[in-house]
Amino acid sequence: EVHVVESGGGLVQTGGSLRLSCAASEFGFDSYLIGWFRQAPGKEREGISCLNSADGSIYYDDSVKGRFTISVDKDRHTMYLQMDSLSPEDTAVYICGIERRPVVRAATMCHAVIGDYWGQGIQVTVSS
């Protein structure tokens, strides 16, 4: 069983930055399909950024494109989401997800909101 734990959330002012981390110590980031998702109150979970190392595909939702960056540190078994130019519309619970096998493109993972392993979610609040 892979345990996935997010950290780095919190309260930030409009225009500020945060970096979310997602540690998965039992997961070998040799070939991976990973993603960041978020869920705002009263809304469904949406995929905002996904990455497939096998085919090199990276997906960003239009709402975060140019502001958020997904990355992986294989040695630390950790994935990251750098979030810049934050706005109140980014306020949500952020969840990281991992697929055991990178069999679909990154965009598919994000659009279908799929994952074998999920973190518990972490709150990000952007004040105006």
Side-chain angles (χ1 to χ4, degrees):
E1 182 71 19
V2 175
H3 295 91
V4 183
V5 181
E6 300 102 337
S7 61
L11 175 65
V12 65
Q13 292 185 332
T14 295
S17 298
L18 282 174
R19 188 177 78 158
L20 303 182
S21 300
C22 176
S25 57
E26 299 90 351
F27 185 76
F29 284 88
D30 297 318
S31 181
Y32 49 86
L33 175 60
I34 59 172
W36 284 96
F37 303 78
R38 68 185 180 187
Q39 188 164 15
K43 295 187 176 181
E44 293 187 353
R45 184 176 298 187
E46 62 174 350
I48 56 173
S49 183
C50 295
L51 187 158
N52 184 325
S53 72
D55 65 12
S57 60
I58 301 176
Y59 169 83
Y60 291 101
D61 186 80
D62 285 344
S63 63
V64 306
K65 195 174 296 183
R67 301 187 299 122
F68 290 11
T69 304
I70 190 171
S71 63
V72 169
D73 186 330
K74 294 173 62 175
D75 291 337
R76 294 179 181 272
H77 298 268
T78 301
M79 53 192 276
Y80 302 95
L81 185 69
Q82 177 66 39
M83 306 187 295
D84 299 318
S85 302
L86 286 162
S87 71
E89 289 70 31
D90 296 313
T91 294
V93 174
Y94 285 71
I95 309 115
C96 59
I98 299 174
E99 270 281 296
R100 284 176 294 186
R101 295 182 299 159
V103 296
V104 299
R105 292 185 63 81
T108 301
M109 182 186 189
C110 268
H111 290 154
V113 190
I114 55 175
D116 294 310
Y117 309 110
W118 296 95
Q120 77 285 359
I122 192 164
Q123 179 69 45
V124 171
T125 302
V126 186
S127 63
S128 57

